[in-house]
Amino acid sequence: MAVLEHLTWEGARKVGARLTTPLLPDDYLRLINPLWTTRELRGSIEEVIPETEDAATVVIRPGWGWSYEHHPGQYIGIGIQVKGKFHWRSYSVSSPPARTGRSIAITVRAMPEGFLSEHLVSGVAPGTIVRLALPAGDFVLPNPPPAKVLFLVGGSGITPVMAMLRTLDRRGTMPDAVLAYSSPTKERMIFRSELLAFSDRHPRLTLHERHTDLDGVMALDELDTLCPDWRERETWACGPGPMLDAAEEFWERAGLEKQLHLERFSLNFQGDGGEGGTITFLNSGKVAEVDGATTVLEAGENAGVGMPYGCRAGICHTCTLTLVSGKVRDLRNGDEFSDPNENVQTCITVPVGDCVLNI
Amino acid sequence: MAIADVKDYTHLTNEEVEELGRELDAIRAEIEDSRGDDDAAYIYRMIRIQRRLAVAGRATLFASSFPPAWVVGTAMLGVAKILENMEIGHNTMHGQWDWMNDPEVHSSTWEWDTAQPAEQWKHSHNYIHHQFTNVLGYDNDIGYGILRMAREQKWHPVNLGQPVYNALLATLFQWGVALHDLDLEAIRKREKDPKVMKKQLRQIGRKIRRQIGKDYLLFPLLTGPQLVSTLTANATANLMRNLWSYMIIFCGHFPDGAMHFTEEEIEDETRAEWYLRQMLGSANFEGGPLLHVMSGNLGYQIEHHLFPDLPSNRYSEIAVKVRALCAKYDLPYTTGPLHKQYGQALRTITKLALPNTWTSSDGPEPPAPIDRGRRGDDSRPIRRLETGNFTAHATA
């Protein structure tokens, strides 16, 4: 039938929306199954698998609209409702990518100061609906991988590296790889048994364990004995901030910074700040005077505006609002946005002069 | 008589008014700090119930030529529309649920099931009405540009038709609300920017097409042979919602105790004085929990006007505290059963169809204002925060 030939998913959705206006068909479908909606990316917690006493792998079944083809090493945003309020964090995906998947896994260590990680590791019940942001990040392994690789890992920094190693394992493309992995104790070493099994199976993978409570923190010049050819290797480093700072400096001194890939879980603003200015929030009429270093999001929150927010790192676009007039600058790269009614990400932009936001 | 200075009217000193303001701020802070899982569960449950009712109503109407199905389906759809407009839509658009950081239940994204586009509603209601509540010449909700609702509004022979206009407004309330932000008064006086008006009309037109398409075209057609009975059912559900929301809204500011103000009052109004004006200008009604849910908790109109962006499910507990404050400061707290409150509004509509000299006022008489002089610019305090000030950007 000619009609059926033209019947597409999108077309059906459009017709459905005429019936459900002002809502979308998704708003009703999710009453049947909470994952049947593309309005927001959602997932359902399937399982929380303890890895160590303070870390766990959280298996999530994403809903409609998810792509399982992430690059090994990328992270996802996850929004969890705690005390009625959605809080967002980014965590590395620890499961390997798949063309057709059913679930993804993130591995989280409960941080003393991080109430969300604590909540994920110990308190989140299977069946809990969370919000998700698509995989992102440049800390990825190319395919095929370089011939010689060094992974420099501290603590829960193992998670993106684990996704890479699992991918290499599954694809059978393990290169000459060295993994220098530090953790306070043997017991707190996430994925230890799986990594030992990997190094048994893959003669080209060398695992150097370091238990810092016993042996102290690894100094980078120990690399010369541990992995004498480190200068020839493409290096991926992930771990605590001070470790990454040290690595950056070390590789720079060797003039090899191009071979070093870093993953930081905090924003590093490269662009110039704005000039600051007065931000007017249209619906509430609240006004904020801000300097060039305060993001539009922070300014709104300080003024008591109910700003939407997500990852706070320019990834998930949850915080996007319409800039009615004025100009804002992206703190990451200095890009400026000034078209009337342009959508801007408030978490990574600062005002350049006076501007008006539609919220 | 309208009030030019609420402090004089209430015989409170500046310090007492400011102290009252601090106590109200404290109530706000307490509620803000205690919002949590239960509140989120409340609004999600309400949304779930409303959507299920809507689906069940529409589904039942596929048998709408069978009279019992018509009655049940219409009732479910009507109740769903009432819940959506009042407890869910109106309150979400006030930002009552923004604190959850849930983009699906947020004032910036919510669109409601009525002909008025959300964006225009947020301007004409959240800002104009809530900022300038009951101030003559500022608040269009005093009669919506159609009815004469205050004795200070000049009488005109055209007002003689008020009982008829009122009946029409009640029946066609959805369409009256759709025109809310157009500001009929301004159009009549030719003060309206034609560009803004064109944009607003386009927005309204688009929304109306979708609303009419759904209720009066697509769903009736889908039910096939029952086209006509589905059409009448949908029209009746919309009428139910129109009459109900009209009545609830008329109980908010038109019962006898609710007062009007002149623009002198807002001249250099402090935040605390704004609070005071909201209390004096609004009226509650009494009833059980079901009545309050069905009226979007607007039976707590006083509390809603004090804290328009606090979650509606908390108004009942706020009301206890506000009432105690009214007793402490010897302030009126206007409330009564729904039929009494609406009866008073209806009587005012009828009376004010006639010139003032033919009727007597039912409102409380404020004393003559005491002239205390004006405040200097430097001592003029910051105005309200929750409703803010709109600029031409909102509508241009």
Side-chain angles (χ1 to χ4, degrees):
Chain A
M1 260 171 59
V3 180
L4 279 180
E5 275 168 33
H6 293 284
L7 194 70
T8 59
W9 181 236
E10 264 316 296
R13 226 169 145 253
K14 242 181 207 160
V15 174
R18 287 288 170 167
L19 295 171
T20 55
T21 185
L23 298 174
L24 292 173
D26 310 51
D27 294 311
Y28 292 95
L29 286 172
R30 69 164 229 235
L31 296 177
I32 308 170
N33 181 329
L35 298 182
W36 290 356
T37 168
T38 53
R39 256 191 75 158
E40 297 290 326
L41 286 173
R42 291 161 163 242
S44 163
I45 304 278
E46 290 217 309
E47 208 184 342
V48 180
I49 308 161
E51 297 285 354
T52 65
E53 61 176 15
D54 61 349
T57 292
V58 182
V59 183
I60 303 165
R61 176 168 196 191
W64 288 358
W66 186 260
S67 156
Y68 292 90
E69 292 187 76
H70 65 266
H71 300 288
Q74 287 191 308
Y75 52 83
I76 59 166
I78 175 166
I80 304 168
Q81 209 165 15
V82 183
K83 288 194 181 142
K85 186 172 175 174
F86 277 98
H87 298 264
W88 284 80
R89 295 290 185 279
S90 296
Y91 293 109
S92 294
V93 180
S94 53
S95 56
R99 216 151 258 129
T100 51
R102 200 178 168 279
S103 59
I104 46 160
I106 54 171
T107 302
V108 181
R109 164 161 284 160
M111 299 292 182
E113 74 283 7
F115 87 108
L116 211 64
S117 55
E118 170 76 41
H119 184 80
L120 269 171
V121 170
S122 59
V124 66
T128 303
I129 298 296
V130 295
R131 293 191 188 284
L132 299 173
L134 282 172
D138 307 324
F139 187 72
V140 294
L141 196 63
N143 187 26
K148 295 180 103 184
V149 180
L150 167 63
F151 296 111
L152 200 58
V153 172
S156 57
I158 189 67
T159 50
V161 172
M162 199 62 202
M164 295 177 185
L165 289 171
R166 282 171 172 166
T167 308
L168 295 171
D169 172 60
R170 212 189 45 192
R171 291 182 183 159
T173 52
M174 187 68 74
D176 172 359
V178 175
L179 169 60
Y181 181 11
S182 301
S183 178
T185 63
K186 205 193 284 183
E187 290 69 36
R188 291 191 64 191
M189 197 164 239
I190 306 173
F191 301 128
R192 183 164 180 271
S193 56
E194 193 177 343
L195 287 169
L196 288 173
F198 275 180
S199 72
D200 282 350
R201 198 154 65 232
H202 299 282
R204 286 155 66 83
L205 173 67
T206 316
L207 172 63
H208 291 291
E209 282 184 64
R210 174 81 166 219
H211 304 125
T212 53
D213 277 2
L214 282 175
D215 309 326
V217 177
M218 188 181 94
L220 284 168
D221 42 28
E222 289 177 44
L223 274 179
D224 285 325
T225 44
L226 209 70
C227 176
D229 60 350
W230 66 271
R231 287 180 184 80
E232 296 159 32
R233 288 173 184 270
E234 197 85 351
T235 300
W236 276 264
C238 186
M243 176 197 128
L244 297 181
D245 293 341
E248 210 165 16
E249 207 194 308
F250 194 71
W251 260 260
E252 254 170 45
R253 245 187 301 150
L256 297 170
E257 62 269 21
K258 285 210 172 96
Q259 282 168 229
L260 178 69
H261 309 271
L262 287 178
E263 177 76 326
R264 287 176 193 274
F265 279 111
S266 56
L267 257 189
N268 192 6
F269 287 137
Q270 300 291 342
D272 293 337
E275 287 149 27
T278 304
I279 310 175
T280 307
F281 301 91
L282 206 56
N283 289 345
S284 62
K286 290 176 190 176
V287 171
E289 296 272 350
V290 292
D291 59 27
T294 307
T295 62
V296 176
L297 175 62
E298 288 164 348
E301 289 177 332
N302 293 340
V305 179
M307 304 284 283
Y309 68 89
C311 63
R312 311 186 82 99
I315 300 154
C316 71
H317 291 263
T318 309
C319 65
T320 299
L321 290 177
T322 306
L323 176 71
V324 177
S325 65
K327 191 198 276 186
V328 296
R329 185 176 294 157
D330 190 325
L331 273 179
R332 298 169 301 180
N333 48 26
D335 285 355
E336 290 184 347
F337 303 91
S338 58
D339 289 347
N341 294 321
E342 188 163 17
N343 286 329
V344 296
Q345 290 173 270
T346 60
C347 73
I348 39 95
T349 50
V350 290
V352 183
D354 296 349
C355 57
V356 180
L357 281 171
N358 190 8
I359 182 169
Chain B
M1 184 186 157
I3 297 169
D5 190 321
V6 281
K7 285 196 304 292
D8 288 341
Y9 173 72
T10 56
H11 296 287
L12 295 178
T13 64
N14 277 340
E15 290 66 36
E16 283 168 329
V17 173
E18 295 306 317
E19 179 57 30
L20 171 67
R22 276 192 292 278
E23 295 201 51
L24 287 165
D25 281 340
I27 294 176
R28 158 179 278 279
E30 198 187 315
I31 298 291
E32 280 178 346
D33 288 344
S34 61
R35 289 179 299 206
D37 283 332
D38 292 347
D39 303 287
Y42 172 82
I43 192 64
Y44 289 140
R45 187 168 65 240
M46 210 41 78
I47 290 172
R48 231 170 19 244
I49 291 172
Q50 186 271 329
R51 289 183 188 167
R52 282 184 182 154
L53 262 177
V55 170
R58 301 268 188 204
T60 310
L61 290 175
F62 273 79
S64 57
S65 59
F66 178 53
W70 188 95
V71 171
V72 173
T74 305
M76 288 197 285
L77 188 57
V79 171
K81 280 176 179 279
I82 287 171
L83 279 178
E84 199 283 336
N85 282 188
M86 309 205 68
E87 181 65 344
I88 303 170
H90 166 264
N91 292 340
T92 301
M93 287 189 293
H94 262 297
Q96 294 186 4
W97 303 100
D98 286 4
W99 61 275
M100 297 196 302
N101 192 32
D102 182 340
E104 291 183 45
V105 189
H106 199 277
S107 64
S108 60
T109 57
W110 195 272
E111 187 59 68
W112 58 342
D113 183 17
T114 181
Q116 163 82 317
E119 186 188 325
Q120 294 184 27
W121 175 257
K122 283 186 273 188
H123 173 249
S124 61
H125 177 81
N126 290 10
Y127 168 56
I128 300 281
H129 170 59
H130 276 268
Q131 172 87 306
F132 301 107
T133 314
N134 283 19
V135 178
L136 294 158
Y138 286 78
D139 183 3
N140 284 323
D141 282 29
I142 312 177
Y144 307 97
I146 303 166
L147 300 175
R148 177 172 177 254
M149 291 307 293
R151 301 184 81 79
E152 293 77 11
Q153 290 170 318
K154 220 175 134 204
W155 182 82
H156 187 277
V158 90
N159 295 128
L160 286 169
Q162 282 216 141
V164 180
Y165 314 151
N166 175 55
L168 282 173
L169 179 64
T171 316
L172 304 171
F173 198 58
Q174 156 170 225
W175 310 107
V177 171
L179 308 178
H180 199 225
D181 197 32
L182 280 176
D183 193 354
L184 301 179
E185 191 85 26
I187 295 174
R188 210 159 39 223
K189 290 183 187 155
R190 300 178 192 281
E191 285 166 1
K192 183 98 183 175
D193 179 348
K195 254 178 132 171
V196 173
M197 186 159 92
K198 219 172 131 194
K199 190 202 161 193
Q200 288 184 326
L201 284 173
R202 238 191 346 259
Q203 262 185 344
I204 296 170
R206 183 171 176 272
K207 185 89 193 278
I208 286 180
R209 271 199 303 281
R210 292 186 74 103
Q211 291 295 115
I212 288 188
K214 166 177 74 162
D215 281 340
Y216 300 119
L217 190 71
L218 292 177
F219 272 109
L221 280 177
L222 269 181
T223 59
Q226 338 232 2
L227 187 142
V228 177
S229 49
T230 306
L231 196 89
T232 56
N234 290 353
T236 310
N238 276 321
L239 178 67
M240 274 172 66
R241 184 270 322 271
N242 284 355
L243 294 176
W244 180 257
S245 46
Y246 151 84
M247 182 175 70
I248 297 303
I249 283 151
F250 268 59
C251 287
H253 302 286
F254 304 137
D256 290 348
M259 293 163 216
H260 295 112
F261 308 90
T262 62
E263 59 184 312
E264 283 84 22
E265 160 56 26
I266 54 170
E267 188 93 351
D268 52 2
E269 190 177 53
T270 66
R271 179 179 168 79
E273 286 165 351
W274 176 87
Y275 271 142
L276 197 52
R277 175 160 58 84
Q278 300 304 327
M279 293 167 91
L280 297 176
S282 310
N284 284 8
F285 59 79
E286 295 156 352
L290 186 64
L291 177 66
H292 283 302
V293 168
M294 288 301 290
S295 50
N297 276 296
L298 290 182
Y300 299 108
Q301 188 77 223
I302 298 172
E303 290 71 22
H304 173 58
H305 265 268
L306 289 171
F307 311 112
D309 54 356
L310 290 185
S312 58
N313 62 321
R314 306 295 287 275
Y315 284 154
S316 61
E317 69 175 275
I318 297 173
V320 177
K321 295 173 184 163
V322 171
R323 211 164 176 166
L325 280 183
C326 282
K328 178 175 165 190
Y329 288 90
D330 195 21
L331 292 168
Y333 184 88
T334 309
T335 186
L338 184 60
H339 62 86
K340 184 184 139 218
Q341 303 301 85
Y342 179 67
Q344 290 179 351
L346 202 58
R347 195 199 46 217
T348 301
I349 292 168
T350 319
K351 265 193 173 179
L352 293 188
L354 304 169
N356 283 352
T357 46
W358 297 14
T359 61
S360 61
S361 166
D362 299 293
E365 281 299 316
I370 311 159
D371 187 11
R372 300 193 218 200
R374 284 273 158 78
R375 247 179 278 237
D377 276 345
D378 49 343
S379 61
R380 245 173 233 184
I382 319 151
R383 291 277 286 280
R384 282 271 305 127
L385 289 170
E386 285 77 6
T387 57
N389 52 22
F390 254 78
T391 64
H393 294 299
T395 45

